[in-house]
Amino acid sequence: MSGRLVEELTRRAALAMREVFEVDADPEVRPTNDPRFGDYQINGVLPLARRIGGNPRQLATRLLEGLDLGDMCLPPEIAGPGFINLRLDPFWVAREAGRVASDPRANISPVQAPQCVVVDFSSPNVAKRMHVGHLRSTIIGDALVRTLRFLGHRVVGDNHVGDWGTQFGILLWAWERHADQAALDADPIGELERLYKLGSEAAKADPQVADACRAELAALQAGDPERLALWKRFVAISRADAEAIYARLGVSFDTWHGESFYHERLAGVVERLCERGLARESEGAIAVFFDEDGDLGGTPLLVQKSDGAYLYATSDVATAEYRIETYAPDRIVYVVDVRQSLHFKQLFATLEALGYDQVRFEHVGFGMMLGADGRPFRTRDGGTVTLAALLEEAEERILPIVAEKWPDASEDEQRDIARRVGYGAVKYADLSQNLTTDYRFDWDKFLAAEGNTGPYLQYALVRIRSVLREYEVRVGRPFVADGAPLRLEADQERELATELLKLGDALDSAARLSRPHIVCEYLFGVARRFSPFYAACPILGAPDEGLRDSRVALAVATARTLEIGLDCLNIPLLDRM
Ligand code: ARG
């Protein structure tokens, strides 16, 4: 077993279909909605009947004769017009759950056919401090990278920073007029922000300044050495600021190719698009038009302005080509605000027209993070909230609770716990949302110890870890799971154990569909099933040693499941809280 139940059941059912009916068909194995009908069902017999003819119930009966699930399931039942209900065999569940306890990967093997996936995430436009608008791409992209990687895929996580755009024209203009070397040394990012603000206000008020900023940008992009040297400094300053945030979040990248990295390819991109008849001139500019495709909107994809400047889209075509040449990826995933969806639709259509149809391009668009009042997330005086401030607030809100609960811990330790809980809560809140809709940032809800929150899941794990410490004290040695089948006597034990076998499926769908909230929901389900087990089945006080060890192993398997899941989401773990 690969540790992916749906995959295994699908494999076996498809095999039976081939043997009995000599067809390749999707058996459509799904978890049941109602536990009275078992754990899974095979829904593919009805579509099969439509395809090959015949009475679906009779086909289902014949399929059962060829279906070998004896080790995994109780005898299957045919229901309704031709569904097949499957119930996992409790002995099989007991054996598999025992293996989850003893295996560091919870018995989930790496995928047999690993894919190469490029994940483009975080990707802020640099020159200013990172703000809350950069949170979602960073957190969601990181979770996808980690989940894909755990499953055995080859992943390239790329931070496609905007380091070549208009903001640098503005900065250069402002630097030439208002540079303050001492301020730049004392508070580099603060000084860049001051300059940027000066420059953009001036450009807004005066079209001549705006022109001068554009000229600065053009000179930079044309390779003027003095401007390039300044640009390098600016980029290094904002990179240092961003790195500090990534370090706090525990996020890292494999590559950090900004837009500037592709700059030499841009002329070639426009040329190729024109040669292939995909782009043409219009009012001095060059653009890809999608006249026939009403879906892509009447707006063309601009790749070169009339003044010769290249655009976001030009750089995205060049980036995709570089990635395809360099990594030969199966998928390229862009984790970017849903408001850019037209850009990505047009980009993907352009790339397909260029012949890159062996790659699955995917825009994982997410909604906005709003304030608790449903309005854009702002500081009290209407400014943007920096990510650093958001993370500090998370820590400060938790710290007094930790200090009260663990007065003997050193301040460092108290802070460490507060950060893990606070950052974990922020991340989990973001990841557990429905991806595409906006969500309201609500501290009380996200920090709550109950409900589908980061702290609730962290606490479930803390509780198990403390049982294990207690075991060690009482028995005199640490518990080591030996992989033996568990003794599942109570309903609560069986339900928990069954749930633990679904981690592989949850990770798999989250990675396939680019939906980390599937993992959140799954982990919440696990934690919710742990509580009744913990309440109903004394672990260390079990009536005999065999049952005690089985229950400890079940707790270990639960801990393992939570650890792997939370680690894929990059939620910090704790020993106490
Ligand atoms: N820098 C862009 C922004 O802040 C996001 C870049 C996303 N990645 C991409 N390949 N377009 O809007």
Side-chain angles (χ1 to χ4, degrees), residues 484-551:
L486 304 184
R487 259 170 69 186
L488 304 174
E489 296 183 354
D491 285 346
Q492 293 89 344
E493 289 172 294
R494 272 192 297 274
E495 273 164 32
L496 175 59
T498 306
E499 197 61 18
L500 297 182
L501 304 185
K502 299 177 184 167
L503 174 65
D505 284 334
L507 295 177
D508 214 42
S509 347
R512 206 161 16 87
L513 305 171
S514 299
R515 291 287 185 275
H517 81 89
I518 296 174
V519 181
C520 298
E521 231 135 84
Y522 168 73
L523 295 177
F524 181 48
V526 167
R528 252 185 350 195
R529 282 173 183 79
F530 182 76
S531 295
F533 155 69
Y534 189 77
C537 308
I539 300 181
L540 299 178
D544 64 79
E545 253 178 48
L547 192 56
R548 178 197 68 193
D549 282 8
S550 168
R551 286 178 178 168

Side-chain angles (χ1 to χ4, degrees), residues 212-227:
C213 290
R214 269 193 290 275
E216 287 292 337
L217 182 67
L220 168 70
Q221 295 189 341
D224 173 71
E226 232 171 88
R227 291 183 172 84

Side-chain angles (χ1 to χ4, degrees), residues 306-357:
S306 52
D307 65 1
Y310 301 108
L311 294 104
Y312 186 50
T314 333
S315 145
D316 258 335
V317 174
T319 305
E321 290 186 327
Y322 171 84
R323 288 171 177 162
I324 292 166
E325 285 163 29
T326 312
Y327 312 112
D330 300 281
R331 283 167 76 185
I332 303 182
V333 179
Y334 299 80
V335 188
V336 186
D337 194 322
V338 73
R339 286 171 297 177
Q340 292 192 25
S341 55
L342 179 61
H343 166 76
F344 284 106
K345 275 190 196 150
Q346 295 186 323
L347 174 68
F348 299 166
T350 306
L351 290 166
E352 266 154 45
L354 279 171
Y356 301 115
D357 49 10

